């Protein structure tokens, strides 16, 4: 179990450092910025690379909503959920700390831009409402779980699951960055909120509630589609 929790820690660390790091450090660089598409690809690549690297150790969840969804689908035991979630949150926080140490090395650095935090209303990149953010996060996380559960099914083609999961996360970000800055992952949301303005912590409840609800919904959908 220690190795599994370590894999979840470092996988979530890489997800936050790579994905949020792309948003904080590279998205808005004058004339060379990677923009929304680049950030979306960065998040997908973090999951793809770490799924291949440590998926054989822990299953490569890197996300409390994924862990809960997999437990609801009967893929992992409920008793393993607390340990996985703690490891993911701590790994994400460590990734955010490293990112903060790097980003703060620039003279004009400030967290007032949100530090890649998730938000709704005035803190949504596109000014989307709480309701829009809730629907978006639930649906995107549910579809993420449908993909994860489908491509890791015993009858799915072997060896391609990390690629499909990484591409799914990229697509999710391409759709939803303007709405909430894309969470679908409570550990990712918590990590950067710890270093951002106070509003990020105040709105963090949504980015635990909606992804976990979506994870459970995705498990139900998968069971409906896949079980005899």
């Amino acid at each position: 179990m220690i190795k599994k929790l370590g894999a979840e820690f470092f996988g979530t660390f890489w997800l936050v450092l790579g994905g949020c790091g792309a948003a904080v450090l590279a998205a808005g660089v004058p004339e060379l910025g990677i923009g929304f598409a680049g950030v979306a690809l960065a998040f997908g690549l973090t999951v793809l690379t770490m799924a291949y690297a440590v998926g054989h150790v822990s299953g490569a969840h890197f996300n409390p909503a994924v862990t809960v969804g997999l437990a609801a689908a009967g893929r992992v035991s409920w008793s393993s959920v607390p340990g996985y979630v703690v490891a993911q949150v701590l790994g994400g926080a460590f990734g955010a700390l490293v990112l903060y140490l790097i980003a703060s090395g620039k003279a004009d650095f400030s967290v007032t831009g949100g530090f890649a935090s998730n938000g709704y209303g005035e803190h949504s990149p596109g000014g989307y409402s709480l309701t829009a953010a809730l629907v978006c996060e639930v649906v995107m996380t549910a579809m993420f779980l449908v993909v994860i559960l489908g491509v890791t099914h015993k009858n799915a083609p072997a060896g391609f699951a990390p690629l499909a999961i990484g591409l799914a996360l990229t697509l999710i970000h391409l759709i939803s960055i303007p709405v909430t800055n894309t969470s679908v992952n409570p550990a990712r949301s918590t990590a950067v909120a710890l270093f951002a303005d106070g509003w990020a912590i105040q709105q963090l409840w949504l980015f635990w509630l909606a992804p976990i609800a979506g994870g459970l919904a995705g498990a139900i959908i998968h069971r409906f589609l896949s079980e005899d």
Side-chain angles (χ1 to χ4, degrees), residues 15-173:
L15 184 149
V16 170
L17 181 59
C20 296
V24 171
L25 302 175
V29 177
E31 299 180 6
L32 295 176
I34 60 175
F36 283 175
V39 173
L41 182 60
F43 272 102
L45 288 173
T46 61
V47 170
L48 187 157
T49 52
M50 289 306 291
Y52 276 119
V54 300
H56 64 286
V57 179
S58 68
H61 302 184
F62 316 143
N63 181 340
V66 170
T67 299
V68 169
L70 290 174
R75 296 288 186 87
V76 299
S77 67
W78 282 105
S79 63
S80 67
V81 171
Y84 266 55
V85 171
V86 170
Q88 291 155 1
V89 171
L90 291 177
F94 184 50
L97 173 61
V98 172
L99 175 58
Y100 182 85
L101 293 174
I102 295 170
S104 60
K106 189 177 180 182
D108 61 350
F109 169 74
S110 172
V111 297
T112 55
F115 199 58
S117 293
N118 303 114
Y120 56 84
E122 63 179 312
H123 301 296
S124 158
Y128 287 85
S129 68
L130 168 59
T131 300
L134 175 64
V135 172
C136 184
E137 289 291 328
V138 170
V139 172
M140 294 300 156
T141 313
M143 294 308 299
F144 193 34
L145 263 295
V146 170
V147 171
I148 291 171
L149 290 164
V151 300
T152 57
H153 191 275
K154 62 182 180 180
N155 294 329
F160 293 100
L163 181 61
I165 293 167
L167 289 174
L169 190 60
T170 300
L171 175 58
I172 287 167
H173 278 77

